[in-house]
Amino acid sequence: MILCSFSLFAQQFTSPHGLEHVDRNPDYKSVIDFYKQIAGVNKNVSLRTVGATDTDEPLMVVFYSGDGKFNTINWKEEGKTIILINNAIHPGEPDGIVASMQLLWDVSHNVIKIPGNIVLAIIPVFNISGATRLREHSRANQNGPALTGFRGNAQNLDLNRDFIKMDARETRSLVYLFDLLKPDILIDNHVSNGADYQHIMTLLSTQHNKLGGPMGKYLNSTFEPAIYKDMKKQGYDLVPYVNVWGTTPDKGWPSFLEIPRFLSGYAAIKNTYAFVAETHMLKPFSVRVRSTYALMHSIIDFAATHANELSATRLEQADWIAKSTELAIDWAVDTTKPTMIELKGYEGGMKPSDISGQPRLYYDRNKPFVKQVPFYNTCTVSHSVTVPVAYVIPQGWNKVVTRLKLNGVKMEQLNNDTVLALTVYHITGHKTGPDPYEGHYLHTDVEVSKDKQQLQLRKGDYIIRTAQPAKRYLVEVLEPTAPDAFFAWGFFDAILQQKEHYSAYVFEDLATEMLTKDAGLKALYEQKKMADPEFAKDGNAQLHFIYNASGYHEPEHMRYPVFRLE
């Protein structure tokens, strides 16, 4: 074990190689000091501030550009391929922090060369507040380092669930950087939890059917296979991220469907190829760091030699989305179409627990095996929607409008009060989890009805046309039945509560008068009584039914406040 001081390491500006043998995370100040000093002696490296975080520390990005030019707008015009590398979204998983330092050191000392058509943008530490809370017991299932950062940020948020709701300031800063760079490739460095097996590195790529279009085809047929082939040459047998919990992986597993709350899922709806490096938690820290370094190097090499194809497929993807009249918003794994892959695992099973006496899972590392197992990497669309000409959001829903603007969404405000024929959703059913999830009570299984209405809009209401680069993002966050829509995260919960009510002793007489004068309402009421015996015996329910069917029932109740202009 190297017993050097991290502050001394930064002051002396020595090589970060060997840090993987130190039994603690590099402290945040030392990491930033390292990049400051390397930027001070290498004109091709620049350390910049991106924006705010939930603490006083700003979010930092390290740029590497072989020509020493850092005009981010010009990079696309010059045909540069931009690779965004994110580290420590979960600070207890520090492999990428050290591997990225080693990568920039080696580039600066001519150990490796980054081709001139590649630009790197490295987030040294994303979750700074979690990284500064170094603890001995953050990662109970991980083989080192003993001292690591904590998963939650200053708000106790898991930032890898924050890319739609954007509750953390550091998330908003990274979204700003994403919109500025429009990266071709994202590498998000992690350490896995889950099953035990021989593989050092597993790879979570955006599910190719979910990505869809030309990019999905290219990822599945060319990009991902090339990374697997190159990593094997480097001594790393990759397998897809082992999406197995509480059982052994020898029967195979489904691909992980990362929806847009995750950074990689967010990248997919921004037409960015996304790879999540998942080193195996039980392998030594030093081995994990070296595999993370190897993966980043492999992706950089592929991007340099296939830059034209990457650029072309992204342009084709944008064109495919622009021409799509219907877009998917949810997917399901197709278990009838497995791909056989080679798993290097360990025999496992159940045995009595020494603690409870109940059956517990175990793996026997004295019994390794190599076998072909099914990997279910085909997904089918389970829900799609036609794309409207525009979405309409009445003013007042400022939290949503702010998040749309942060994502580069173009919108216009009405100059005058206007009546428009719009498609209106009403929420007819949903389930809400009993416990909070990342600061919200998530809605699932959302059901809607829809009809056409003439709606009075006010000057200042927002018209958001879908014919723009953010088209796919708009559909996935504004359609209420999408799994990661703003509705799912509770941004429109106020419409689920009725605001105006009645006093029964007053409304009784009015309800009697309404039934006398309105034959249609009377017929609906009688039909309901005939069809529902419990309703027929419940006077309060009958009064409530008449109220809700009358003009007194507020139209805003259960009406989803994002309308569609077809």
Side-chain angles (χ1 to χ4, degrees):
M1 180 185 295
I2 295 176
L3 298 176
C4 68
S5 159
F6 281 94
S7 59
L8 182 62
F9 154 77
Q11 291 167 11
Q12 293 180 343
F13 193 46
T14 54
S15 168
H17 288 280
L19 285 182
E20 70 270 25
H21 297 291
V22 180
D23 207 17
R24 57 169 285 173
N25 272 21
D27 66 81
Y28 177 70
K29 182 179 184 302
S30 293
V31 173
I32 298 304
D33 285 346
F34 167 81
Y35 284 115
K36 285 179 179 177
Q37 293 186 58
I38 207 168
V41 298
N42 187 335
K43 68 178 182 63
N44 297 334
V45 177
S46 178
L47 178 66
R48 306 240 175 136
T49 298
V50 178
T53 69
D54 281 345
T55 60
D56 290 337
E57 294 281 359
L59 184 65
M60 307 297 292
V61 60
V62 181
F63 291 130
Y64 176 86
S65 178
D67 58 9
K69 297 177 181 178
F70 299 99
N71 187 319
T72 55
I73 296 174
N74 289 348
W75 284 339
K76 286 298 182 186
E77 295 173 353
E78 295 167 358
K80 304 284 189 181
T81 298
I82 300 173
I83 301 176
L84 175 62
I85 299 172
N86 187 55
N87 296 306
I89 199 168
H90 297 148
E93 305 169 18
D95 303 9
I97 298 175
V98 174
S100 294
M101 294 167 72
Q102 293 175 350
L103 182 72
L104 257 292
W105 173 272
D106 285 352
V107 171
S108 296
H109 289 77
N110 297 314
V111 177
I112 63 172
K113 182 174 177 59
I114 302 294
N117 62 345
I118 297 294
V119 172
L120 301 181
I122 299 173
I123 303 292
V125 176
F126 180 50
N127 184 350
I128 299 168
S129 48
T132 54
R133 284 181 281 173
L134 295 174
R135 300 177 177 181
E136 291 185 5
H137 304 296
S138 283
R139 300 284 289 179
N141 297 330
Q142 188 168 292
N143 183 9
L147 201 64
T148 65
F150 178 65
R151 191 179 187 90
N153 85 329
Q155 292 190 63
N156 206 38
L157 297 173
D158 182 338
L159 296 181
N160 202 30
R161 311 291 188 274
D162 197 42
F163 283 88
I164 295 301
K165 60 190 180 71
M166 296 172 62
D167 289 338
R169 286 189 291 183
E170 47 263 55
T171 305
R172 296 172 212 159
S173 295
L174 185 49
V175 165
Y176 162 78
L177 181 67
F178 217 99
D179 192 56
L180 175 70
L181 297 179
K182 296 177 176 56
D184 299 278
I185 299 169
L186 166 74
I187 304 172
D188 192 19
N189 290 318
H190 287 250
V191 181
S192 74
N193 284 308
D196 195 8
Y197 40 80
Q198 300 173 49
H199 303 275
I200 298 168
M201 168 74 75
T202 68
L203 187 62
L204 195 164
S205 309
T206 301
Q207 203 286 323
H208 62 96
N209 300 118
K210 179 181 177 296
L211 182 59
M215 285 180 65
K217 293 174 183 176
Y218 185 75
L219 175 68
N220 192 47
S221 66
T222 305
F223 197 168
E224 194 173 16
I227 300 305
Y228 274 70
K229 183 178 180 181
D230 185 68
M231 286 292 283
K232 189 174 183 66
K233 286 181 182 177
Q234 297 187 64
Y236 298 100
D237 286 320
L238 290 184
V239 288
Y241 174 66
V242 182
N243 188 23
V244 172
W245 305 91
T247 185
T248 57
D250 54 306
K251 301 293 190 299
W253 60 89
S255 58
F256 184 83
L257 267 173
E258 80 290 42
I259 50 182
R261 71 185 62 170
F262 303 103
L263 177 54
S264 55
Y266 175 82
I269 61 174
K270 294 300 183 93
N271 294 346
T272 294
Y273 289 103
F275 297 95
V276 179
E278 291 277 3
T279 56
H280 189 243
M281 59 187 176
L282 297 179
K283 302 299 184 289
F285 183 40
S286 59
V287 174
R288 302 197 319 258
V289 169
R290 288 196 292 272
S291 69
T292 303
Y293 181 109
L295 180 67
M296 291 191 294
H297 192 263
S298 179
I299 292 173
I300 290 168
D301 282 350
F302 180 89
T305 56
H306 297 79
N308 291 338
E309 294 172 12
L310 292 172
S311 177
T313 53
R314 293 191 73 216
L315 289 172
E316 291 166 7
Q317 184 85 354
D319 185 59
W320 169 70
I321 292 172
K323 292 177 179 177
S324 295
T325 58
E326 185 173 317
L327 288 174
I329 57 173
D330 205 1
W331 293 260
V333 174
D334 187 344
T335 57
T336 67
K337 297 178 180 178
T339 299
M340 301 306 292
I341 61 172
E342 184 176 85
L343 172 68
K344 295 182 177 180
Y346 299 109
E347 289 190 19
M350 306 299 289
K351 65 180 181 180
S353 166
D354 292 337
I355 297 173
S356 67
Q358 301 300 310
R360 53 147 290 189
L361 177 67
Y362 77 98
Y363 291 89
D364 189 342
R365 290 198 167 190
N366 293 315
K367 295 180 179 179
F369 66 76
V370 178
K371 67 166 64 173
Q372 295 288 310
V373 301
F375 175 54
Y376 301 96
N377 194 31
T378 298
C379 290
T380 56
V381 175
S382 59
H383 190 184
S384 63
V385 294
T386 56
V387 181
V389 172
Y391 290 102
V392 178
I393 302 182
Q395 56 193 293
W397 298 100
N398 299 315
K399 291 180 180 179
V400 168
V401 170
T402 297
R403 282 158 175 77
L404 294 174
K405 289 180 177 178
L406 285 169
N407 277 278
V409 172
K410 299 178 179 65
M411 56 184 73
E412 56 196 84
Q413 290 182 273
L414 291 174
N415 293 322
N416 300 289
D417 291 354
T418 306
V419 175
L420 284 179
L422 300 170
T423 298
V424 178
Y425 288 122
H426 282 84
I427 307 300
T428 58
H430 67 283
K431 295 178 182 177
T432 304
D435 299 309
Y437 176 78
E438 297 303 321
H440 296 248
Y441 285 84
L442 273 176
H443 302 312
T444 61
D445 300 319
V446 179
E447 298 175 355
V448 297
S449 64
K450 64 179 182 178
D451 60 1
K452 292 283 184 66
Q453 294 184 14
Q454 296 282 334
L455 288 185
Q456 174 70 57
L457 302 178
R458 296 176 55 214
K459 176 183 176 181
D461 290 348
Y462 294 92
I463 306 294
I464 305 171
R465 302 192 183 278
T466 56
Q468 59 174 297
K471 178 178 178 179
R472 185 170 185 179
Y473 169 80
L474 286 169
V475 170
E476 294 209 35
V477 299
L478 294 183
E479 287 294 329
T481 53
D484 253 349
F486 287 130
F487 180 81
W489 286 102
F491 283 90
F492 297 112
D493 276 5
I495 61 102
L496 302 178
Q497 181 185 23
Q498 192 171 334
K499 295 300 184 291
E500 297 284 2
H501 297 276
Y502 58 87
S503 294
Y505 79 95
V506 177
F507 190 65
E508 279 276 358
D509 295 334
L510 182 57
T512 301
E513 182 181 343
M514 290 164 57
L515 289 176
T516 301
K517 293 181 176 180
D518 190 334
L521 177 60
K522 174 74 171 177
L524 287 174
Y525 168 66
E526 294 296 343
Q527 288 171 12
K528 178 68 173 174
K529 283 203 301 181
M530 290 288 292
D532 187 344
E534 293 299 318
F535 175 78
K537 295 185 292 185
D538 190 335
N540 287 330
Q542 293 173 38
L543 205 60
H544 193 64
F545 175 86
I546 296 169
Y547 179 84
N548 284 345
S550 74
Y552 288 98
H553 182 229
E554 64 212 56
E556 296 84 2
H557 182 219
M558 305 301 283
R559 186 180 73 185
Y560 181 60
V562 179
F563 314 124
R564 291 167 50 104
L565 179 63
E566 306 291 354

